[in-house]
Amino acid sequence: MCAVTITALGLATAQAVAAPTPEQRPRPARHQAEVGKQHAAKVEAATGSTFAAREDDGEDEAENSAESTEQFTEARTAPGLVAPGAYSAAWAQLQSLPHTVGSWSHVTDKPYNSDDPRYRDIDSNSGAGSGNVTGRVTGIAADDDGTVYAGGANGGVYRSRSGGGHWQAISDKLPSLSTGALELDGSGRLWYATGEANTGGTAYVGTGVYVLADPKHGEFKPGNRIGGTELESTVIHALRFNGDKVWAATSRGVWTHSTTDLSGPWKPEFAPNPTFLPGGADAKAPNAPYKNIANDIAFDPKDPSKVVLAFGWRSGDTYNGFYSKAADGTWQRLTSLGDLPADAADVGNVTFAPSKDGSRYYAIDQSPTKMATDPDSGLQGVYVSKSGSPLGPWTLIADKDKLKGSGSALQEDGYQPGIQSWYNQFLQVDPNNADHVYLGLEEVYETRNGGGDWITPGPYWNFYFPCWDIDPAKRTCSQTPHSDQHAIALGTSKGRTTVYVGNDGGIYGRPLNGAVDSLGHATDWTSFNDGSMDALQYYSVGVGKDPADRSGKGVVVSGGLQDNGQSILRARDRAMGSNFGGDGGDTIVDPNNGCNIVAEYAYMEMRSTQNCAVNDGAWQDDPAKATTYEIAPPDQHTHAARFIAPITTDAKNADTWVAGGQHVWVQNKGFAIRSGSEWAAAYDLGAGHVATAVAASGGTVYAGWCGPCNNQGFTRGIAVGNADGTGWHQLNLPVDGTLPNRYVSSFAVDPANAKHVLVSFSGFSRAWSEGPGAGIGHVFDSRDGGATWTDVSANLPDVPTNTLRLLPNGGLALGTDLAAFYRAPGQRNWKVIGEGLPTTTVMQLRTGPDGLLYAGTHGRGIWSFDLDRFGRGEGDDNQQ
């Protein structure tokens, strides 16, 4: 463990300090090595937990993050590419559909305190120092008059006129709320590039670029789009301005458009492998999405006609590298840049940043080779061109070891600076000092002498530093931003310049030339996540009665979140808390007691509590006082499961739980379970196959699976059998049969007849998918246990579907990537459910004991709708 002392120049030098002993450390739920072996043994002996044997180290975490990004995409794109126009066509269909009466209510429009002192149990990250958080922020822009704009990964653009906080949504009328880049141009217009770019082949794709002429007062509308459909179904990594042109680095190459004449299409500038683009000879190849990924663009300030393009798929490809235009007008690979690698094997995700005076250019480079071979980091390095030209020569100014010694929290083997540099990158140069630079990887770093020395003003978290104590009264650590950095911008208000950073926990800010402590950690970060910008990315939602609410009407609302653990909102809370850390996945909440909760972390790693995981940290002195339990089935230990693996309860027996990995796992003890050994394997889906959806009713279990799950040989299937392990068989699902060859996303089983089942499919129909056998339709109904199926998609938009829910009145609710829909009993067509739900991904629908339908969205939090608007019936689905 190292800390830093601050010299007279405000720079850092390393010096050894005493690290907390294993007994003093928290047990973080992710990223770091486990607590000390002796302490782990005590906890295991007292609680029956097997967490000491888990391999929850940083290398796994980096791998997990990569796989989660890819798997979230796979569900929507496999078995092939998505052609331009798919999302806008679906959105146009949506506009013509009728709505049911009623409006959605926003449930999670409250601050989310990740350090809530009520939840200090062994599986919580509470106390890490990030404070109030929201979902991933992937774009920031700020002006010199106190106005800040922030783009959620799938939550759209928000505006603050007060320098941060008190946010207003200004892009909710657009068909895509996925943020790739957000930039203000020289005339004050706000450019919004949709399609989040984390170097995935087709991460959450967008519908192009939009321009807002008066961002201080206006809101984005579909008519603000620049060009046609040419940038649809892409992700956009960067927008860069050069003279009267804007350049876009996209997953289908580099494009340009005039900034003075906003009419007309975008012009393709360069794609290294054009035959893999839509319409090309190789467009249907499994690797087509990864063959033309552009990451950034740089211009020579002394000669703006000299342009350098950075291309590269994070895992490596022969086209990876830097390109510049030759004298004959063709784009050619650069072969000599100084320390900055030119070899394709060492060029991956790249970010450029110029100084305002033109004297410096900076760059980050992630290496595919290091990503594949270095267990500690994928970072090739951070570089400077002191000529001010992106043509170099470039000089290395930081690598993982130099950053590790800067006061970083990432000291453990397997998780060191740059381990996720394919995903985490930003660079910003102080406009008044070309040697003052902010660097974002997993943490926030800073140099004030051009890279000679570095400090870590924003460490990953405060665990393991001497200032940390599980008792808040004894803790002296300052606020630190959430981990995993994606965006940065400088803004000025009332003469003070603030550096704003966007990460997996939202948006934070500090003075550009802020203060630091003896460790080199900033003492002046502010979280601007006040609850008014709800960009929370839920994978799941669960609702149960609050046992502490005397009225008997209050509920506990809980859900699993991307990189923000499990949120919990009790009946009378003014702020949400986080009772489980890490990535939150699927969840089970007891409808009759909302403090009975199962939270999934990743790959079916499951933890349960029966008291909402309330704990003041007493488990550190007495492991028997831990109130959460590790209950993961064996598939978790081999990663033989999806990153977000499906878990559920039987609709007729809440004590029977089903979980899906390579095996279909069943346990019959309900919340009395205390160990993963209590699960039984009811069925093996087959080597290489993993469950994508499970449902059970009266002992009959349905399991949808895929394997391989990506474009390269995609297959899918549905298995049916009994919870006791008998009667299992695979349904006959030919590739060109009634059911499409796409990702099985959800089931709904009739509680009165288990042979009556409905299934939903993600992805787009053959009209937009270039893969073989994509098929048509999204929702299908079977009355004979899956032997035959009827397409009941009717008037639904052609868009990926995620969640089905049979309602108490016999109607059916459906969540998709654009909206939630309702089909009344006995009716054929669907209606949009109510008004007011943002156009974002509805990942899961659940009915609550309070008579409300809850929607967990992946980008705009949790919303509720009164089921009385549909006509109430008897019974509840037990959150199957």
Side-chain angles (χ1 to χ4, degrees):
M1 173 67 67
C2 288
V4 292
T5 55
I6 306 303
T7 69
L9 296 176
L11 302 173
T13 56
Q15 98 178 18
V17 299
T21 67
E23 298 293 330
Q24 295 172 319
R25 296 176 181 174
R27 189 272 188 176
R30 64 186 182 101
H31 296 334
Q32 299 279 17
E34 301 293 350
V35 292
K37 293 181 179 179
Q38 292 180 351
H39 183 50
K42 287 197 301 182
V43 175
E44 183 170 341
T47 65
S49 169
T50 57
F51 72 82
R54 288 163 39 211
E55 296 180 356
D56 230 3
D57 61 15
E59 184 179 359
D60 281 344
E61 176 61 26
E63 177 185 341
N64 292 355
S65 296
E67 290 190 20
S68 68
T69 299
E70 291 187 18
Q71 290 183 11
F72 193 77
T73 299
E74 287 168 0
R76 289 154 177 80
T77 59
L81 287 172
V82 178
Y87 273 96
S88 61
W91 187 80
Q93 287 180 272
L94 179 68
Q95 305 314 301
S96 65
L97 293 184
H99 289 239
T100 69
V101 296
S103 296
W104 289 87
S105 296
H106 197 175
V107 176
T108 52
D109 57 345
K110 297 173 175 63
Y112 178 23
N113 183 6
S114 67
D115 291 322
D116 192 322
R118 293 175 294 177
Y119 307 109
R120 290 282 196 265
D121 215 308
I122 194 170
D123 287 305
S124 170
N125 284 344
S126 181
S130 297
N132 288 345
V133 298
T134 187
R136 187 165 68 246
V137 167
T138 51
I140 306 175
D143 64 19
D144 292 331
D145 193 29
T147 306
V148 185
Y149 308 92
N154 198 34
V157 182
Y158 285 82
R159 173 179 60 215
S160 169
R161 296 193 182 100
S162 57
H166 306 289
W167 301 95
Q168 299 171 305
I170 62 171
S171 65
D172 281 3
K173 293 182 174 65
L174 298 183
S176 173
L177 300 184
S178 174
T179 301
L182 202 57
E183 300 288 346
L184 285 165
D185 67 14
S187 60
R189 296 176 298 184
L190 183 63
W191 293 68
Y192 179 38
T194 62
E196 181 191 0
N198 279 318
T199 70
T202 46
Y204 224 126
V205 294
T207 54
V209 178
Y210 300 81
V211 178
L212 188 56
D214 182 14
K216 288 182 182 293
H217 307 98
E219 294 186 10
F220 285 101
K221 298 178 181 179
N224 297 138
R225 187 168 77 172
I226 303 302
T229 63
E230 53 272 11
L231 296 190
E232 281 202 16
S233 301
T234 68
V235 300
I236 301 177
H237 198 286
L239 293 176
R240 300 293 188 183
F241 298 96
N242 187 26
D244 62 356
K245 282 185 179 181
V246 59
W247 295 62
T250 83
S251 54
R252 292 205 300 266
V254 172
W255 301 67
T256 60
H257 201 286
S258 169
T259 58
T260 56
D261 181 1
L262 300 183
S263 63
W266 287 80
K267 175 188 174 184
E269 288 287 344
F270 178 60
N273 296 295
T275 63
F276 290 88
L277 296 174
D282 299 308
K284 295 183 180 181
N287 60 344
Y290 313 105
K291 298 297 288 186
N292 289 287
I293 295 173
N295 291 309
D296 210 347
I297 304 151
F299 312 102
D300 191 322
K302 300 180 180 65
D303 184 356
S305 67
K306 295 180 179 178
V307 183
V308 174
L309 312 180
F311 275 85
W313 166 232
R314 67 173 186 239
S315 296
D317 202 314
T318 55
Y319 76 92
N320 286 26
F322 300 96
Y323 295 79
S324 188
K325 189 170 284 188
D328 62 1
T330 62
W331 292 92
Q332 300 294 325
R333 187 195 301 270
L334 296 171
T335 58
S336 180
L337 291 166
D339 289 346
L340 186 63
D343 193 300
D346 290 320
V347 180
N349 189 21
V350 170
T351 299
F352 290 122
S355 64
K356 186 176 181 179
D357 65 5
S359 67
R360 299 285 188 274
Y361 236 107
Y362 293 89
I364 308 170
D365 177 31
Q366 168 260 332
S367 165
T369 298
K370 288 187 181 296
M371 182 176 173
T373 61
D374 187 339
D376 297 331
S377 178
L379 178 66
Q380 181 72 22
V382 183
Y383 303 84
V384 64
S385 169
K386 292 186 177 180
S387 70
S389 169
L391 293 170
W394 293 85
T395 302
L396 178 70
I397 56 173
D399 56 16
K400 70 172 184 183
D401 293 323
K402 191 166 190 176
L403 296 175
K404 179 181 176 182
S406 69
S408 167
L410 303 181
Q411 301 290 327
E412 301 288 346
D413 290 342
Y415 206 84
Q416 294 180 12
I419 186 68
Q420 290 183 180
S421 51
W422 61 269
Y423 174 67
N424 303 321
Q425 287 193 16
F426 70 56
L427 272 175
Q428 178 69 52
V429 186
D430 184 339
N432 300 312
N433 180 356
D435 288 328
H436 184 198
V437 182
Y438 276 88
L439 161 68
L441 296 170
E442 297 71 41
E443 305 171 292
V444 180
Y445 305 95
E446 181 182 8
T447 179
R448 298 190 184 185
N449 61 358
D453 300 283
W454 295 85
I455 59 173
T456 309
Y460 193 94
W461 51 18
N462 287 325
F463 294 142
Y464 302 145
F465 290 113
C467 61
W468 191 89
D469 194 283
I470 199 165
D471 182 352
K474 299 178 182 178
R475 192 178 310 133
T476 59
C477 303
S478 300
Q479 167 102 68
T480 190
H482 193 286
S483 58
D484 298 337
Q485 312 305 318
H486 302 291
I488 189 168
L490 302 180
T492 302
S493 178
K494 298 179 181 179
R496 182 173 118 164
T497 300
T498 297
V499 54
Y500 297 93
V501 300
N503 48 53
D504 276 12
I507 181 170
Y508 297 76
R510 70 181 294 247
L512 176 60
N513 293 288
V516 295
D517 63 18
S518 62
L519 299 176
H521 302 159
T523 60
D524 45 15
W525 286 106
T526 298
S527 168
F528 293 117
N529 307 305
D530 58 4
S532 59
M533 176 170 60
D534 183 3
L536 290 168
Q537 296 170 273
Y538 282 93
Y539 289 111
S540 63
V541 58
V543 189
K545 294 179 181 178
D546 191 337
D549 185 60
R550 294 181 180 179
S551 73
K553 298 179 181 179
V555 295
V556 177
V557 182
S558 190
L561 288 152
Q562 188 276 329
D563 211 15
N564 281 292
Q566 185 93 358
S567 73
I568 180 169
L569 178 64
R570 302 194 65 167
R572 302 189 183 279
D573 282 353
R574 295 184 178 180
M576 295 185 291
S578 178
N579 54 359
F580 293 91
D583 278 287
D586 211 345
T587 191
I588 294 173
V589 177
D590 183 347
N592 298 311
N593 183 346
C595 277
N596 291 338
I597 302 170
V598 173
E600 180 189 20
Y601 167 30
Y603 300 105
M604 217 160 49
E605 180 186 332
M606 295 158 60
R607 300 159 288 179
S608 69
T609 180
Q610 289 191 271
N611 78 330
C612 284
V614 172
N615 198 313
D616 63 1
W619 62 269
Q620 285 215 135
D621 297 320
D622 183 357
K625 292 184 178 180
T627 62
T628 60
Y629 312 94
E630 298 278 346
I631 59 168
D635 272 359
Q636 186 274 328
H637 299 296
T638 60
H639 281 196
R642 298 282 286 175
F643 183 80
I644 304 299
I647 59 177
T648 192
T649 62
D650 189 293
K652 289 188 173 181
N653 183 357
D655 286 337
T656 295
W657 298 357
V658 179
Q662 177 181 320
H663 297 83
V664 178
W665 296 95
V666 177
Q667 71 92 8
N668 298 300
K669 293 185 176 181
F671 281 94
I673 187 173
R674 290 293 181 269
S675 168
S677 65
E678 297 173 76
W679 293 87
Y683 185 64
D684 186 345
L685 294 171
H689 297 168
V690 287
T692 60
V694 293
S697 181
T700 298
V701 181
Y702 292 87
W705 56 266
C706 63
C709 296
N710 58 22
N711 298 342
Q712 301 183 41
F714 176 83
T715 59
R716 56 83 180 100
I718 298 174
V720 185
N722 299 318
D724 63 6
T726 64
W728 279 90
H729 60 284
Q730 295 280 354
L731 299 182
N732 182 25
L733 304 179
V735 169
D736 293 320
T738 303
L739 299 184
N741 186 40
R742 302 200 308 270
Y743 182 96
V744 178
S745 59
S746 182
F747 294 101
V749 185
D750 186 343
N753 176 11
K755 288 187 175 295
H756 180 203
V757 59
L758 295 104
V759 63
S760 67
F761 286 80
S762 191
F764 289 91
S765 75
R766 189 176 287 118
W768 302 107
S769 176
E770 309 227 6
I776 58 174
H778 290 275
V779 183
F780 298 81
D781 186 303
S782 175
R783 304 279 173 153
D784 52 17
T788 60
W789 298 88
T790 301
D791 187 346
V792 295
S793 307
N795 61 332
L796 283 172
D798 185 2
V799 70
T801 60
N802 306 305
T803 176
L804 276 169
R805 185 63 46 188
L806 278 168
L807 302 178
N809 73 341
L812 191 64
L814 174 70
T816 75
D817 276 7
L818 284 179
F821 299 90
Y822 172 68
R823 191 189 71 177
Q827 299 298 307
R828 177 179 182 274
N829 284 335
W830 300 77
K831 294 182 178 180
V832 180
I833 299 178
E835 303 286 347
L837 185 68
T839 305
T840 191
T841 304
V842 179
M843 289 296 294
Q844 196 169 80
L845 294 169
R846 289 275 172 84
T847 55
D850 53 359
L852 301 180
L853 175 67
Y854 287 83
T857 75
H858 199 71
R860 291 295 289 269
I862 296 173
W863 298 69
S864 67
F865 190 85
D866 188 352
L867 287 170
D868 279 337
R869 295 293 188 172
F870 300 144
R872 291 291 302 279
E874 298 298 324
D876 184 78
D877 64 0
N878 280 322
Q879 301 189 65
Q880 63 188 16

